[in-house]
């Protein structure tokens, strides 16, 4: 994980461990979220088993590909090994003109079809570092209450 997200993560999760997958279409902003604004590629590995949470990153300005983003998203949710995972959606690139807001992304991704797990959506700008903390805070609290 990049240093920026690691710091953010530590500030919210403390020493607790959580296995979290960061997924999304290409160009959605995953690397920027994990590494900040540097071009350093993150070294993370994706393992489906025992995943407690999925962070799904969407480029909110890429309206042409929202249908694809929705299809990929629901395919991920169908994975047996991810059935129990909590879902945090980052509606990223909010700083760009024409970016859809959280309500519109909720609609586009058909988030209300999710019945058997907890989910939330947050507006983010990975470039500006906005919204990332709020999302992680929700995730931390949700995982905490689920494990107690
Ligand atoms: N304006 C804006 N640009 C962003 C934001 N997040 C990422 N980008 C830009 O979008 C492009 C793609 O970002 P990445 O973080 O590489 O996206 P990725 O999801 O890792 O992409 P892949 O490596 O293709 O899977 C880069 O040029 C980023 O600088 C954002 O919040 N706002």
């Amino acid at each position: 994980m990049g240093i920026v997200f690691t710091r953010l993560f530590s500030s919210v999760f403390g020493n607790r461990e959580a296995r979290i997958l960061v997924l999304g279409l290409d160009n959605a902003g995953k690397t920027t979220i994990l590494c900040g604004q540097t071009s350093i590629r993150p070294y993370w590995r994706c393992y489906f088993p025992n995943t407690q949470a999925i962070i799904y990153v969407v480029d909110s300005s890429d309206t042409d590909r929202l249908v694809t983003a929705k299809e990929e998203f629901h395919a991920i949710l169908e994975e047996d090994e991810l059935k129990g995972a909590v879902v945090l959606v980052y509606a990223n690139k909010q700083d760009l003109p024409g970016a859809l807001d959280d309500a519109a992304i909720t609609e586009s991704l058909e988030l209300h079809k999710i019945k058997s797990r907890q989910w939330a959506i947050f507006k983010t700008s990975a470039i500006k570092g906005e919204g990332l903390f709020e999302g992680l805070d929700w995730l931390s609290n949700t995982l905490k209450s689920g494990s107690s």
Side-chain angles (χ1 to χ4, degrees):
M1 263 194 240
I3 198 78
V4 176
F5 198 74
T6 304
R7 284 215 187 101
L8 199 56
F9 190 87
S10 306
S11 74
V12 176
F13 279 77
N15 290 328
R16 283 185 298 135
E17 281 192 15
R19 190 186 290 275
I20 298 169
L21 286 183
V22 180
L23 302 170
L25 297 187
D26 56 283
N27 208 47
K30 301 178 295 295
T31 307
T32 311
I33 285 168
L34 292 170
C35 290
Q37 292 171 44
T38 72
S39 58
I40 305 163
R41 306 293 300 181
Y43 298 95
W44 81 84
R45 290 182 192 282
C46 296
Y47 298 113
F48 280 7
N50 305 317
T51 295
Q52 288 146 281
I54 300 161
I55 299 179
Y56 193 70
V57 185
V58 183
D59 179 344
S60 310
S61 71
D62 189 359
T63 49
D64 288 346
R65 293 208 303 163
L66 279 175
V67 170
T68 311
K70 176 192 75 178
E71 288 166 357
E72 290 293 328
F73 177 67
H74 285 277
I76 290 162
L77 297 189
E78 285 300 305
E79 290 286 339
D80 268 348
E81 289 172 330
L82 298 177
K83 286 262 194 268
V86 165
V87 174
L88 166 62
V89 177
Y90 277 156
N92 194 35
K93 304 199 185 181
Q94 288 295 319
D95 57 289
L96 290 181
L100 298 184
D101 67 8
D102 45 348
I105 297 293
T106 297
E107 252 331 76
S108 303
L109 292 187
E110 299 183 348
L111 294 182
H112 293 298
K113 285 191 175 168
I114 302 174
K115 299 292 180 206
S116 54
R117 66 176 100 215
Q118 287 177 283
W119 63 270
I121 183 167
F122 287 82
K123 291 192 286 187
T124 62
S125 168
I127 285 255
K128 293 185 167 179
E130 290 171 0
L132 302 173
F133 174 84
E134 289 78 2
L136 275 189
D137 195 40
W138 173 84
L139 194 55
S140 170
N141 288 328
T142 303
L143 291 178
K144 223 188 268 175
S145 58
S147 63
S148 59

